[in-house]
Amino acid sequence: MGEWFRQVTGPRRAAARLVCFPHAGGTAAAFRGWGAHVPPDVEVLAVRYPGRQDRIAEPCVDTMEPLVAAVTAALPTDLPLVLFGHSMGASVAHEVTRALPVPPVLLAVSGRRPPHLLRIRDVQGDSAIIADVKRLGEANAEVLDHPELRDLILPAIRADYHLVRTYEPGPLPPVAVPIVAHTAEDDPEAPVSDMRGWAELTTAEFDLTVWSGGHFYLAAHEAELVSMLCARLGELVSAE
């Protein structure tokens, strides 16, 4: 799938494709377990942002427009698509949805306020960024306590925080794509009241699911979340 996507599922005759966008500082590995929860006809791809893992030698992308342009250009549209993004990834997935010449059948956004309700927090400097990553409960945040590992991964986290800080889309027209929003009861970044605002960004159907947990609720609910996305995908594809 080229440099921009990691194929999470093995070779298969796919009828649809689930494309996953990681959070700030995240990698395609965040979705490595998702392939175990999809039916045989669904392919799972995870976006590989530059500057980390097997793209670590490449310069990071620290603003929204070039990232969206690159992903949009590389994303195959030969199958019905579901785009799923968590946290920063939700904003990227939304912008890719708006840019694609063939729109996805579903946009799934998680742990991220809609663009017109974003609250930009000015988190700058390594100490502040590290504290914020730990505040949100990132599963692998403890690696930031080890100097050698911290020096390896901090450039990508800095770039993503810069992207989040400088992304100011303003009012955006709605898309003609169903949106499903996901958040958790104790997520300080995506309160339920604000997540309902995603309904204003679509002229199609909208649904909101609230899970137990905090900002990184996904790990605890992985199987159920993926199954829910695939069920909705199946409904939409069969209705076409």
Side-chain angles (χ1 to χ4, degrees):
M1 279 297 171
E3 63 184 359
W4 279 97
F5 303 101
R6 174 173 296 169
Q7 192 160 354
V8 176
T9 48
R12 57 184 62 198
R13 287 192 174 186
R17 184 174 287 127
L18 171 60
V19 184
C20 305
F21 293 74
H23 58 279
T27 69
F31 303 101
R32 61 184 176 273
W34 283 40
H37 309 299
V38 299
D41 61 347
V42 174
E43 177 184 70
V44 181
L45 302 182
V47 179
R48 299 167 64 219
Y49 301 143
R52 62 209 80 190
Q53 291 192 320
D54 40 6
R55 299 188 71 185
I56 198 163
E58 301 176 42
C60 298
V61 180
D62 66 356
T63 53
M64 182 67 82
E65 287 188 7
L67 179 60
V68 169
V71 174
T72 301
L75 182 58
T77 57
D78 56 313
L79 296 174
L81 295 173
V82 172
L83 305 189
F84 174 88
H86 180 64
S87 198
M88 179 192 83
S91 291
V92 182
H94 178 227
E95 289 289 355
V96 170
T97 296
R98 298 177 62 241
L100 279 171
V102 179
V105 298
L106 181 67
L107 170 62
V109 292
S110 170
R112 181 75 164 161
R113 292 178 173 94
H116 59 291
L117 297 178
L118 283 175
R119 301 178 184 178
I120 305 303
R121 297 170 54 251
D122 189 19
V123 181
Q124 299 189 55
D126 289 353
S127 296
I129 289 173
I130 290 169
D132 198 59
V133 171
K134 292 181 176 181
R135 175 185 70 89
L136 293 173
E138 219 281 2
N140 298 315
E142 68 275 3
V143 302
L144 294 169
D145 295 328
H146 302 277
E148 291 184 2
L149 294 175
R150 182 171 63 238
D151 291 345
L152 193 65
I153 65 175
L154 257 181
I157 301 176
R158 287 190 205 108
D160 289 352
Y161 268 70
H162 183 271
L163 185 151
V164 169
R165 190 173 68 252
T166 57
Y167 175 58
E168 298 180 4
L172 295 175
V175 295
V177 174
I179 295 179
V180 293
H182 295 266
T183 192
E185 295 170 346
D186 300 320
D187 187 348
E189 298 301 301
V192 173
S193 58
D194 285 356
M195 290 298 287
R196 292 193 181 101
W198 279 103
E200 301 173 36
L201 275 296
T202 178
T203 59
E205 298 85 4
F206 171 77
D207 193 24
L208 171 65
T209 300
V210 181
W211 304 87
S212 60
H215 189 61
F216 288 101
Y217 71 91
L218 289 79
H221 300 287
E222 180 177 275
E224 191 176 359
L225 171 61
V226 177
S227 296
M228 182 180 293
L229 291 172
C230 290
R232 186 73 178 110
L233 170 60
E235 293 170 3
L236 291 166
V237 171
S238 63
E240 289 188 341

